[in-house]
Amino acid sequence: MKQQRYDVVIVGGGAAGLSGALALGRARRSVLVIDAGEPRNAPASHVHNYLGRESTPPGELLAIGRGEAAGYGAEIVEGRVASAERLPESGEGEQGFRVVTEDGRSVEARRLLVTTGLVDELPPVPGLAERWGREVLHCPYCHGHEVADRPIGVLATGPLAVHQALMWRQWSDDVTLFLHTGPEPTEEEYEQLAARGVAVVDGEVAGLEVADDRFTGVTLASGRGVPREALVVQARFTARSAVLESLGLKPVAQEMGGVVIGSYIPTDPTGATEVPGVWAAGNVTRLTEQVIGAAAAGLMAAGAVNGDLITEDTRLAVAARRA
């Protein structure tokens, strides 16, 4: 950290954080990005649906983003932020925060932008985590094209499994729904599955079959093996909200179709939280956002942060002029 106080400290250096840093750097703000180096999409081979960067490897996209942000003066350091706290207002009423990293470093900021993302909590099936982002998937728009026309399994762990199976049927006509620990489909759902040619298999999945470092199918508790080349799961999306919680913000449950799928930190459309001077962007506040959406959210928040700083700069200048 080259200085003790910045206009903006950004916690998290993924697409949202780097996009915010780029915009704020171009606005001639002093910006520090503190990144723990644990991108959610690290297991994936490529980023998709990012106009102009389609099929770019995640690490390459981050490297490009870091270079672009640094080119406009943003400082990017590796570290894990442990907490943040609001500082007493200055005599002129200027806001400020102190950010403390796990290794004891501290830095001050006039504003905070938190882009720490989320954690995918996977069902407890042996071997699932090791294949996550490779052949174990959850988002058809992220990975569907890459497994098109291949045998796909859907692991049911909740009421949304039938919805998942019908959705993935768009990419392959060979889809099998493993009921596993999910609820029994209704008669209407069974009819929908049958009409779309989705097979349904009873019994819990005990593990994954892997050969030559490739997923080849699942093993049921009965010992039966079912060949598949991709397996769809419903992860629980849990916001990485510790830094925001240290400021008094609390995550709330995110529902889809009446089912809780994770937790997030509420914000307004610009990313402003209930704590004045603190913004959030990306998956920490919008669980289903893809990479390009997170980048757009980071840009939106950066514009709001800069506007807020302009208002404060003007107020301070007026007060100085009158003094």
Side-chain angles (χ1 to χ4, degrees):
M1 302 177 189
K2 296 178 180 179
Q3 55 196 73
Q4 283 300 111
R5 187 175 175 88
Y6 294 80
D7 287 327
V8 186
V9 167
I10 300 175
V11 184
L18 292 175
S19 179
L22 174 61
L24 288 163
R26 286 176 52 82
R28 306 179 70 183
R29 295 295 180 184
S30 59
V31 182
L32 173 68
V33 180
I34 305 176
D35 183 41
E38 297 176 346
R40 177 194 180 198
N41 62 355
S45 58
H46 298 89
V47 171
H48 298 292
N49 302 310
Y50 200 120
L51 188 63
R53 294 290 182 183
E54 170 60 26
S55 296
T56 302
E60 182 180 326
L61 184 65
L62 289 181
I64 293 170
R66 291 188 193 105
E68 290 175 346
Y72 288 99
E75 184 183 349
I76 303 169
V77 300
E78 184 175 338
R80 188 185 304 277
V81 173
S83 64
E85 63 177 340
R86 178 185 291 279
L87 297 172
E89 288 190 358
S90 68
E92 295 77 24
E94 185 176 7
Q95 296 184 50
F97 300 88
R98 178 179 292 110
V99 175
V100 181
T101 63
E102 287 188 349
D103 61 6
R105 292 176 293 170
S106 67
V107 65
E108 294 182 5
R110 296 176 65 191
R111 300 292 185 273
L112 294 181
L113 173 55
V114 180
T115 60
T116 44
L118 61 79
V119 175
D120 296 293
E121 298 179 356
L122 302 178
V125 175
L128 211 61
E130 290 78 6
R131 312 308 299 181
W132 177 242
R134 300 174 66 182
E135 305 99 347
V136 175
L137 314 169
H138 78 97
C139 171
Y141 300 103
C142 305
H143 302 287
H145 187 81
E146 283 60 50
V147 296
D149 298 322
R150 291 160 61 182
I152 298 172
V154 177
L155 185 70
T157 54
L160 295 177
V162 171
H163 167 77
Q164 283 183 296
L166 294 173
M167 179 171 286
W168 281 84
R169 175 61 181 78
Q170 173 62 24
W171 282 267
S172 175
D173 60 6
D174 186 357
V175 176
T176 296
L177 174 62
F178 296 99
L179 292 184
H180 190 51
T181 60
E184 182 81 10
T186 65
E187 289 186 11
E188 181 182 9
E189 289 173 331
Y190 267 123
E191 183 178 28
Q192 292 172 343
L193 294 166
R196 293 292 283 159
V198 176
V200 179
V201 174
D202 288 318
E204 292 193 20
V205 171
L208 277 58
E209 298 176 356
V210 177
D212 297 324
D213 196 32
R214 290 197 62 82
F215 169 71
T216 59
V218 303
T219 302
L220 302 178
S222 65
R224 174 190 170 195
V226 182
R228 298 284 89 185
E229 293 183 19
L231 184 64
V232 176
V233 303
Q234 177 59 63
R236 182 181 175 88
F237 307 136
T238 301
R240 288 175 171 151
S241 56
V243 174
L244 292 164
E245 289 186 57
S246 71
L247 289 161
L249 294 165
K250 298 297 182 184
V252 300
Q254 172 74 61
E255 292 189 1
M256 178 181 291
V259 179
V260 175
I261 62 169
S263 64
Y264 72 102
I265 296 292
T267 68
D268 76 2
T270 71
T273 71
E274 293 179 351
V275 176
V278 179
W279 275 258
N283 287 141
V284 71
T285 183
R286 291 176 177 82
L287 302 185
T288 58
E289 201 79 272
Q290 293 194 35
V291 178
I292 193 168
L299 171 60
M300 175 71 75
V305 169
N306 186 55
D308 192 47
L309 286 170
I310 288 172
T311 298
E312 183 173 86
D313 291 339
T314 302
R315 179 175 56 78
L316 294 172
V318 169
R321 185 175 186 273
R322 292 174 176 175

